[in-house]
Amino acid sequence: NAGVTQTPKFQVLKTGQSMTLQCAQDMNHNSMYWYRQDPGMGLRLIYYSASEGTTDKGEVPNGYNVSRLNKREFSLRLESAAPSQTSVYFCASSASGQTYEQYFGPGTRLTVT
Amino acid sequence: GQQVMQIPQYQHVQEGEDFTTYCNSSTTLSNIQWYKQRPGGHPVFLIQLVKSGEVKKQKRLTFQFGEAKKNSSLHITATQTTDVGTYFCSNSGGSNYKLTFGKGTLLTVNP
């Protein structure tokens, strides 16, 4: 039982390059999330997927797209990376219903130069 | 969820001292969650509070939800070096899925 896995762990991009961050969970959770974490800013929600087949914008969606490939996998795509997207990205999942316990992956540290 | 203010932003203590962090809102909160993130790690869920005046304990950690449901606190008794990290509160507001996180309190412990 691996929980939430993310790839890659580290990435350096040049401005304008694109990339996809991968996330998978093996807990049979319905809901999945993408956050970014910047120093002093806490965790900010980029996109979430309440259930398979649905996605919705969070607090900071500009410059990102997501795909809920199936119940297990939720990917985040940067089409044209910008230095402002330098951050640590966390994927999380949760069971739907009244619990708000979210399980986080180990994170991807992205630098855009 | 509703925006919450966490104070203090940073706290440095000597090992064995107590520590408290607060999470405050100007509006009534439906619930509060607390997470801990070790340096270089990912957030880990600690607890959820939903009832007015609720108090929960986990070993040396005591969590409280205010009577008016506008604030919450996390108190650590006799800190240890293993308590080092950033403590976040969050709340879901009216959403069944989304959480809004506070900016966190970074705790450092001098051995």
Side-chain angles (χ1 to χ4, degrees):
Chain A
N1 189 338
V4 180
T5 56
Q6 291 183 237
T7 55
K9 285 189 167 57
F10 301 93
Q11 184 73 49
V12 178
L13 291 178
K14 291 187 181 345
T15 297
Q17 287 185 318
S18 62
M19 78 162 295
T20 300
L21 281 64
Q22 307 286 354
C23 173
Q25 53 92 9
D26 62 2
M27 295 173 283
N28 201 36
H29 284 166
N30 287 320
S31 304
M32 297 186 73
Y33 311 83
W34 277 105
Y35 293 91
R36 61 177 289 173
Q37 185 174 38
D38 304 294
M41 296 296 291
L43 291 154
R44 292 185 291 169
L45 183 64
I46 304 171
Y47 271 93
Y48 70 103
S49 171
S51 60
E52 186 179 356
T54 69
T55 60
D56 282 288
K57 294 178 181 179
E59 183 185 352
V60 288
N62 291 345
Y64 306 95
N65 284 301
V66 290
S67 295
R68 183 75 183 266
L69 304 169
N70 48 54
K71 191 170 186 179
R72 289 188 64 248
E73 298 171 288
F74 188 38
S75 63
L76 178 72
R77 182 158 179 85
L78 286 70
E79 289 292 350
S80 178
S84 61
Q85 294 178 304
T86 293
S87 188
V88 180
Y89 291 86
F90 288 103
C91 176
S93 70
S94 69
S96 58
Q98 290 305 304
T99 175
Y100 300 105
E101 179 176 359
Q102 293 189 4
Y103 294 79
F104 284 78
T108 295
R109 281 150 181 79
L110 175 66
T111 302
V112 183
T113 61
Chain B
Q2 284 94 326
Q3 291 295 327
V4 290
M5 175 82 72
Q6 274 192 261
I7 53 172
Q9 194 174 357
Y10 307 97
Q11 183 79 59
H12 177 75
V13 299
Q14 291 293 125
E15 190 171 20
E17 291 182 338
D18 291 357
F19 160 76
T20 305
T21 176
Y22 300 90
C23 186
N24 299 320
S25 172
S26 59
T27 58
T28 302
L29 301 169
S30 302
N31 50 66
I32 278 279
Q33 299 79 36
W34 285 95
Y35 287 79
K36 176 185 178 181
Q37 183 177 23
R38 294 181 189 271
H42 59 275
V44 175
F45 175 82
L46 294 176
I47 211 155
Q48 175 170 286
L49 306 169
V50 295
K51 298 177 184 175
S52 168
E54 189 170 15
V55 178
K56 289 188 176 180
K57 295 192 176 184
Q58 290 179 351
K59 297 183 180 177
R60 293 178 295 103
L61 278 61
T62 302
F63 305 84
Q64 189 163 358
F65 203 4
E67 293 289 343
K69 299 182 76 172
K70 289 186 175 181
N71 55 71
S72 179
S73 63
L74 158 58
H75 179 82
I76 302 178
T77 302
T79 54
Q80 299 175 357
T81 55
T82 53
D83 296 324
V84 164
T86 301
Y87 293 85
F88 293 98
C89 65
S90 65
N91 75 95
S92 71
S95 167
N96 283 336
Y97 307 101
K98 294 190 296 182
L99 295 180
T100 299
F101 284 81
K103 294 185 179 180
T105 296
L106 172 61
L107 171 66
T108 56
V109 179
N110 197 32

